[in-house]
Amino acid sequence: MENHSLIQRLIARPEFGPFILLIVEIAVFWGFNHDFLSPQNISNTLAFTVELGLIALAMTLLMTSGEFDLSVGSLFGFSPVLMWTLFNAGVTSLEMGFLVALVVAALIGLVNGWFVTQLKIPSFLVTLGMLLVVRGSALFITDGFPQRTWSAEGSWLAEALVGDFFIGPFRIYMSLFWFIAAAIALGYVLTQSRTGNWIQAAGGNPNAARARGVNVNRVKVGLFVLSSVMASLAGVISSLRTSAANPNSGTGYELEVIAMVVIGGTALTGGRGTIIGTVLGILILRVMRNGIVLIGVPGLAYNIFIGAIILGMMALHSWLERRHQAGT
């Protein structure tokens, strides 16, 4: 009876569906093409996973508080453009340019949070407007052209963020360790800390949270800042790894990141979030993108698969929620 109860609790967890889907996905792609689990392909998949993953981790906390940030994709492209523009013009060192980019991103997050909490404008509209402002700024600064980036070789910043080494046949980037550290830290914050309780309360019932003394506005502003800074960091990591700083980089990433978070089991309406589920959601979509190319499906069909996965996972989460509430 106890074992049956344990299985029921496991199945009811929001991470259960994504975990099963990821296992099935890996098995199917490996069945079609055994190179899918080759060391080179795993290394490449992990390198790409980290960059969108960092944004998704912060987005999990923000969505748990009941808000969205659609400006993360534009910040992903803007921050490396700003960093390289300052460096190439001789205004700052590469490291100082990186710090300036992070500070500017934090200020953008602060503005987003202020508009949402003080002017009571829905975060969807605020961050949509900021997306256009930030993307337009990146295009204006560069005249629409990529920035020169080849001077990063030998920089300690590049080594710290994207330095690579081999563990056996696997090529590992330092950015993977930054992602793991962020996942552990934010997972702890969300599930084991008082701040995590505030975040969930702010998303679940903000009025009740305020009545209990939670500063809901401060919590949400802090999460907007975190979201912007993580998007900035991810953009710089991508720029250093690929030696490119394109003002159009990150276009459409905001929706893919939200898809990762939702597929992982975080409630779209706020109040419930899971970092473990988000990590699974990140892997599901990155494995999907990699796998369909390896088995010969045109890459342009990727969005079809994303949409189908979102619909399927939403149906599964809804069904599990109803079963859980019914006590069966």
Side-chain angles (χ1 to χ4, degrees):
M1 191 69 180
E2 282 183 17
N3 287 341
H4 184 64
S5 176
L6 177 63
I7 292 170
Q8 278 188 325
R9 287 202 302 273
L10 283 174
I11 292 174
R13 289 187 64 85
E15 299 92 348
F16 178 77
F19 176 72
I20 297 300
L21 176 59
L22 180 62
I23 297 299
V24 169
E25 210 178 57
I26 291 171
V28 168
F29 287 133
W30 181 77
F32 276 101
N33 188 336
H34 284 9
D35 287 338
F36 177 72
L37 290 180
S38 68
Q40 182 181 359
N41 193 53
I42 291 173
S43 300
N44 289 338
T45 302
L46 287 176
F48 288 115
T49 296
V50 164
E51 290 147 17
L52 273 181
L54 285 169
I55 310 175
L57 293 176
M59 187 72 80
T60 302
L61 270 63
L62 183 62
M63 288 177 61
T64 302
S65 76
E67 305 295 348
F68 291 94
D69 188 352
L70 297 180
S71 66
V72 290
S74 59
L75 265 167
F76 183 94
F78 172 76
S79 290
V81 161
L82 177 60
M83 180 183 77
W84 284 109
T85 299
L86 293 171
F87 177 68
N88 290 334
V91 177
T92 67
S93 64
L94 188 64
E95 292 77 14
M96 185 55 67
F98 170 62
L99 288 177
V100 169
L102 290 185
V103 170
V104 170
L107 290 173
I108 289 170
L110 196 63
V111 171
N112 283 338
W114 186 82
F115 269 85
V116 171
T117 59
Q118 300 302 316
L119 301 185
K120 309 300 180 188
I121 304 172
S123 55
F124 179 87
L125 296 176
V126 170
T127 56
L128 178 61
M130 189 60 78
L131 179 159
L132 297 171
V133 169
V134 173
R135 181 70 70 195
S137 299
L139 291 167
F140 178 75
I141 289 171
T142 61
D143 290 327
F145 291 101
Q147 293 295 283
R148 201 158 45 86
T149 61
W150 55 78
S151 308
E153 231 171 275
S155 161
W156 68 262
L157 177 67
E159 287 299 315
L161 292 180
V162 295
D164 61 325
F165 56 92
F166 283 87
I167 298 179
F170 296 96
R171 186 183 187 184
I172 305 296
Y173 288 92
M174 284 299 296
S175 54
L176 179 62
F177 294 99
W178 290 107
F179 172 74
I180 292 170
I184 292 171
L186 294 182
Y188 176 83
V189 166
L190 188 59
T191 59
Q192 304 295 324
S193 74
R194 185 182 298 177
T195 304
N197 292 334
W198 294 344
I199 292 169
Q200 294 180 64
N205 191 332
N207 292 329
R210 287 190 183 93
R212 293 185 176 187
V214 176
N215 191 329
V216 172
N217 288 354
R218 185 185 297 173
V219 168
K220 290 188 176 185
V221 169
L223 293 176
F224 274 110
V225 171
L226 175 66
S227 176
S228 295
V229 169
M230 290 289 263
S232 176
L233 174 62
V236 169
I237 286 174
S238 176
S239 173
L240 291 172
R241 184 180 62 79
T242 60
S243 298
N246 191 323
N248 286 307
S249 181
T251 300
Y253 279 10
E254 53 280 339
L255 297 180
E256 192 167 345
V257 164
I258 290 171
M260 290 172 171
V261 177
V262 169
I263 287 168
T266 293
L268 201 59
T269 51
R272 187 190 74 214
T274 160
I275 290 291
I276 294 172
T278 294
V279 171
L280 292 170
I282 293 162
L283 291 172
I284 285 168
L285 291 198
R286 299 317 287 177
V287 165
M288 175 66 71
R289 184 182 283 276
N290 176 265
I292 61 173
V293 172
L294 270 184
I295 65 174
V297 177
L300 295 174
Y302 174 62
N303 285 343
I304 299 172
F305 289 93
I306 289 185
I309 289 173
I310 291 173
L311 292 173
M313 293 309 297
M314 288 303 92
L316 178 61
H317 289 316
S318 174
W319 177 71
L320 290 174
E321 187 71 26
R322 288 198 306 273
R323 279 178 59 89
H324 180 65
Q325 289 175 355
T328 59

